[in-house]
Amino acid sequence: MDDTPLLQGLHVVDLASFIAGPAAATVLGDFGADVVKVEPPRVGDTYRAFSRMPPNPRVEGVNYAWQLDNRNKRSIELNLKSPGARPVLEALVRWADVLVTNFPPPVRARLGVEYEDLAPLNGRLIYADITGFGETGPDAHLPGFDATAYWARTGLMDLTRQGDAPPAINVSGAGDHSTAVTLFAGIMTALYRREKTGRGARVTASLIAEGAWAAGVWLQAVLVGARNPRPVDRLHPPNALANTYRTADNRWLLLAFVNEDKQVPLFLRAIGHSEAAEDPRFKDSASRHVHSADIVALLDQAFARRPLAEWRTLLDSAGLTYGVVQTLEESAADPQLKANGVLVPIESDGAAPHLTIDSPVRLDQERKVPPRPAPDLGEHTEDVLGELGFDAAAIEELRAAEAIPPPR
């Protein structure tokens, strides 16, 4: 295996904010790309403040969210609203292989960072753009977050409702992170196209498209005229063997029997109800569907008699498929995550080590860059400007034009 990271030498300009766009740039950085994050002076990317906003947990001295989605980057402060910043932006575009943005279309136009504005400066540029609601249509101009565009707009949120109960709020960043991987895939596809054609391209992804893809199994059913599936009622599910059950120590298990005809007799024998295999209600999938409420009542009683540890032993010994509903604390200590390198240590300068979550794309033949601390705001401004050819006098002119802030 070559020790050189796969994307070493690839230059990335991260103009994006908050989660989805920056996270896509982070995956590029994980594979060795040189990522320069461009942030508004003094305030920076507003995502820097996310971990301080209720109800997010607070850890003194650790900006956990910023670390997760902005590791392995360099940060410069640049006021894109200032005309004096244009030479720096254009120098960055000429330097870049990839530029990532998530400005809404009206803001892109106002700042002069549309694809049509920047592509003439660099014919090999991969311009990667994330929006909330896509590039066209009546709502293209709206700001979008994963909660609104991914979760609420696409039907995913509605599918969590039980009867008249309110819908569930999604986990922060769930749609953003999946959309980030999609944008990363698009960027890599465009880079492959560039290898074949020598030309750059525009890559787009949107939270609404990602949400529709995530809801795809049920959304596709509706598209062909099927009845809109409703959230599963745990007490009257379509399949009692693909349902959740509470154990004696107040833990939850999810049964996931795919090959029911083979697994049901094994399961009934394992829980001490082998006689139920002869019960007409358990005869086949059609009967089990009709009598699912009766089966749930039986299984509720059975699962309530033993703690989780006993159920795990019993189900494992029978070779049955199930999942434990783990807490976040359990997932953070899960040996399976650690064994597969999902949780990796952050390189730090003498500070106590922290674990972070690796991006999910892997190549066995390529190594990733060890996670380094995410940058402080503007930490690399003068270094990057120097690399772009701005000398000390030019940097002072940028400060005078309020394109970059004065030194701290």
Side-chain angles (χ1 to χ4, degrees), residues 78-374:
L78 184 65
N79 180 11
L80 293 175
K81 297 178 182 178
S82 167
R86 195 69 190 182
V88 179
L89 175 64
E90 293 185 358
L92 283 167
V93 171
R94 293 188 179 96
W95 171 84
D97 294 288
V98 178
L99 182 143
V100 180
T101 178
N102 65 347
F103 292 126
V107 177
R108 288 202 311 260
R110 191 161 60 247
L111 294 176
V113 295
E114 297 270 22
Y115 175 68
E116 293 76 15
D117 298 322
L118 303 183
L121 301 172
N122 181 350
R124 289 173 57 81
L125 179 70
I126 307 302
Y127 181 100
D129 178 26
I130 279 186
T131 61
F133 297 99
E135 296 294 322
T136 60
D139 294 335
H141 66 288
L142 295 177
F145 296 91
D146 69 339
T148 58
Y150 172 90
W151 186 243
R153 186 67 176 264
T154 62
L156 286 170
M157 193 174 197
D158 185 58
L159 285 169
T160 68
R161 291 192 303 112
Q162 289 283 347
D164 292 331
I169 301 296
N170 69 318
V171 175
S172 295
D176 285 311
H177 281 140
S178 59
T179 307
V181 174
T182 294
L183 189 66
F184 168 76
I187 290 168
M188 297 306 294
T189 303
L191 287 170
Y192 178 71
R193 176 183 181 274
R194 192 177 75 173
E195 286 298 303
K196 297 179 71 174
T197 67
R199 298 190 299 273
R202 183 181 186 183
V203 178
T204 62
S206 70
L207 292 166
I208 195 171
E210 192 73 23
W213 184 248
V217 171
W218 293 135
L219 184 56
Q220 180 64 61
V222 173
L223 287 172
V224 297
R227 182 173 58 86
N228 182 357
R230 298 311 310 147
V232 172
D233 182 345
R234 199 194 74 80
L235 297 178
H236 299 83
N239 181 359
L241 286 313
N243 200 28
T244 54
Y245 295 96
R246 193 198 306 259
T247 64
D249 51 348
N250 202 32
R251 298 301 304 274
W252 286 91
L253 281 168
L254 170 67
L255 299 184
F257 295 175
V258 178
N259 188 350
E260 289 184 55
D261 290 337
K262 176 182 178 181
Q263 292 177 302
V264 167
L266 293 173
F267 175 64
L268 293 174
R269 186 160 57 247
I271 68 173
H273 284 280
S274 55
E275 78 288 347
E278 306 303 321
D279 188 323
R281 294 175 297 179
F282 289 86
K283 175 184 172 185
D284 53 33
S285 60
S287 297
R288 289 189 289 270
H289 173 72
V290 171
H291 299 286
S292 66
D294 295 337
I295 298 171
V296 169
L298 171 68
L299 297 185
D300 273 342
Q301 293 177 14
F303 276 99
R305 295 189 187 107
R306 304 186 190 205
L308 175 62
E310 290 187 23
W311 279 115
R312 296 188 71 161
T313 299
L314 185 150
L315 294 169
D316 285 340
S317 63
L320 295 166
T321 310
Y322 69 96
V324 176
V325 180
Q326 291 201 141
T327 66
L328 286 173
E329 289 76 13
E330 288 171 327
S331 292
D334 193 324
Q336 193 67 18
L337 292 178
K338 292 180 180 178
N340 284 278
V342 177
L343 305 179
V344 292
I346 301 169
E347 287 192 347
S348 56
D349 298 327
H354 293 282
L355 292 177
T356 193
I357 305 159
D358 192 16
S359 49
V361 180
R362 307 285 181 88
L363 280 77
D364 283 353
Q365 290 75 24
E366 300 292 338
R367 71 176 184 88
K368 288 185 176 179
V369 174
R372 299 187 303 273

Side-chain angles (χ1 to χ4, degrees), residues 386-402:
E387 292 173 22
L388 294 174
F390 292 84
D391 60 18
I395 291 173
E396 285 306 315
E397 290 179 8
L398 291 172
R399 290 197 174 104
E402 298 185 342

